Amino acid sequence: MLLSDMSQEMDRAVFLGTGADGQPLGVVSGAATYGITETAVDTQVRYKVITDAVARFMNRNAASKPSDVRALFRPELWSYLDSLVANDGGTVFDWDRVLRTLGAGNIAMSHEALADPVAGPPLEFSTSALLTTSAGGVAPVFAGTWGSVDLIRDVFSDAQSGGLRLTALATVDLTVARPDQLEVLTGLAMTE
């Protein structure tokens, strides 16, 4: 349980960290600072919207085929695309087409690494995504952990109710070495 909690918090810090209060500046939240391209899609997300974004991304990078591109999506985006039948009137869903194009191994999903979907005008419900590639086998982002995990045991704070409070601390440093190999997509609208 503690390892799972730490993993979630590290994901949140690496991608959405504020850069304050001991947190690193996250890849997504600090995109402008790192020089990462941010593209406001601001339209209903469909298979074609994803492939257009991948094509733009490939033209700016060393990716030579769509399967060289990796994507990070929120689970809500998967669920939405998995409910849309392809525009050709067939029985294939947009999510199946995205899987076929990028490859299942190149898609990661996380509710910790990307901000919660937002509601409000002009889009009813929208989310973001992150595209990446590694040119020459070199990753665009490096997150290093230093030392061991410090475990603080607090027997006093919750003692009256018979509880024990554990706090785990880890030191994580983050650097974006190749910002050109990253792109944040915003305004991926999931509308009815």
Side-chain angles (χ1 to χ4, degrees), residues 76-99:
E76 294 89 347
L77 183 64
W78 156 73
S79 178
Y80 181 72
L81 288 172
D82 200 42
S83 70
L84 299 176
V85 176
N87 287 335
D88 63 6
T91 58
V92 176
F93 292 93
D94 277 9
W95 179 253
D96 297 323
R97 298 172 74 195
V98 170
L99 278 179

Side-chain angles (χ1 to χ4, degrees), residues 108-125:
M109 277 190 250
S110 174
H111 67 283
E112 301 294 340
L114 295 168
D116 290 339
V118 295
L123 308 172
E124 292 179 18
F125 192 61

Side-chain angles (χ1 to χ4, degrees), residues 153-165:
R153 183 184 62 164
D154 180 355
V155 296
F156 301 107
S157 295
D158 298 325
Q160 199 155 15
S161 63
L164 171 68
R165 187 177 297 187

